[in-house]
Amino acid sequence: MRQIVLDTETTGLDPASGDRVIEVAAIELYNFMPTGQQFHVLIDPERDIPEEATRVHGFTAEMLRGKPIFAGIAHEMMAFLRDSEIIAHNAPFDFGFLDAELVRCGMPKLDRARMVDSLDIAKRRYPGLPNSLDALCRRLGVDNSMRTSHNALLDVKLLAEVFLQLMGGKQPGLELNAANRRSGPVLEADEAPVIRTPRPIVPSEAEIAVHAEFVAKKVKDALWLQPPFAEPRAETPG
């Protein structure tokens, strides 16, 4: 199962009022394991960035001048997303901004059926508790000490760890990731697979007798020694 963990940074809070996307970061999960594949781009919003937004993510319009505009990265982004589920924290916010940018480019909106909101998952798991990304990192033991501002690439890596913990705490190494599956050893056509011979453990008659003596001393009227469980004894001729 392929999933994408995604985060965006923007010039403000409302795409309908003209706010734009300035950063998109996404990483690939395969069967709940990071594969190392990622997409990250900084974008020229073609407008100013208010000071209050800069205080959140640290970007100014001057820093992004000369970066590609959204239309220049839209197809590459969609190629990375493919038709996978998209996981985001407060996902309607990110979907709303990306939809506005895609429509501006003449491209279709993202299918909301693909949206997985990790904030909604956290609220259902921890009702009444703070469920910001920072709060979840502290609660779930994810190191976020390097997070001094809202950087989409760092946030998406932290979110991936948080999401995996929310979904049951998958740990690296428990499964092969997609890269391992693609690059793992492959048998040649004339190479025979290794066949392991079963080695059943069969107790000796002496061991069986010792065990029966032990059970007789420790367990009174054992059910497995009573009919119908007990095997019928062979009649001794005489």
Side-chain angles (χ1 to χ4, degrees):
M1 179 176 63
R2 184 179 189 265
Q3 296 171 301
I4 298 296
V5 184
L6 178 141
D7 188 43
T8 63
E9 297 297 340
T10 66
T11 64
L13 300 176
D14 185 9
S17 67
D19 284 318
R20 302 290 300 273
V21 173
I22 61 172
E23 185 181 19
V24 178
I27 62 176
E28 181 185 62
L29 304 180
Y30 200 96
N31 287 344
F32 295 103
M33 292 292 295
T35 67
Q37 298 299 312
Q38 68 180 38
F39 174 84
H40 178 236
V41 64
L42 296 175
I43 300 165
D44 185 345
E46 304 178 279
R47 55 152 291 170
D48 67 309
I49 299 179
E51 289 184 8
E52 56 268 27
T54 297
R55 283 195 293 270
V56 172
H57 48 59
F59 292 110
T60 64
E62 289 73 22
M63 293 169 63
L64 298 173
R65 192 167 292 121
K67 300 295 183 183
I69 63 174
F70 190 90
I73 63 92
H75 289 283
E76 183 183 0
M77 181 190 76
M78 295 302 291
F80 183 81
L81 297 179
R82 296 187 350 220
D83 59 353
S84 303
E85 285 186 339
I86 300 171
I87 302 151
H89 207 61
N90 191 18
F93 177 89
D94 299 280
F95 270 62
F97 266 95
L98 291 177
D99 282 348
E101 295 285 3
L102 290 168
V103 168
R104 191 177 282 113
C105 298
M107 298 174 67
K109 296 180 179 181
L110 296 169
D111 182 358
R112 291 300 173 108
R114 300 169 59 188
M115 183 173 73
V116 177
D117 188 359
S118 56
L119 177 58
D120 183 60
I121 295 172
K123 285 180 176 179
R124 285 187 272 113
R125 181 166 178 178
Y126 305 112
L129 295 178
N131 287 300
S132 67
L133 183 56
D134 280 332
L136 289 169
C137 285
R138 290 191 294 269
R139 189 174 304 138
L140 298 171
V142 175
D143 182 11
N144 66 337
S145 57
M146 72 295 291
R147 189 178 190 243
T148 57
S149 63
H150 286 258
N151 172 280
L153 185 56
L154 174 58
D155 284 359
V156 81
K157 291 178 179 179
L158 293 174
L159 179 57
E161 291 189 56
V162 165
F163 176 73
L164 295 178
Q165 292 289 341
L166 288 173
M167 299 306 291
K170 288 278 186 177
Q171 296 297 321
L174 292 182
E175 296 181 21
L176 294 176
N177 63 27
N180 287 338
R181 279 191 294 274
R182 287 192 293 266
S183 60
V186 178
L187 292 175
E188 299 294 337
D190 58 349
E191 184 179 356
V194 176
I195 300 175
R196 300 189 182 276
T197 304
R199 299 176 62 186
I201 298 174
V202 180
S204 66
E205 291 186 6
E207 289 171 330
I208 293 173
V210 170
H211 178 263
E213 183 181 357
F214 174 82
V215 171
K217 290 180 179 179
K218 298 295 183 180
V219 181
K220 184 178 180 180
D221 298 328
L223 288 176
W224 59 89
L225 298 179
Q226 309 300 320
F229 303 106
E231 295 182 3
R233 295 183 178 179
E235 294 293 335
T236 303

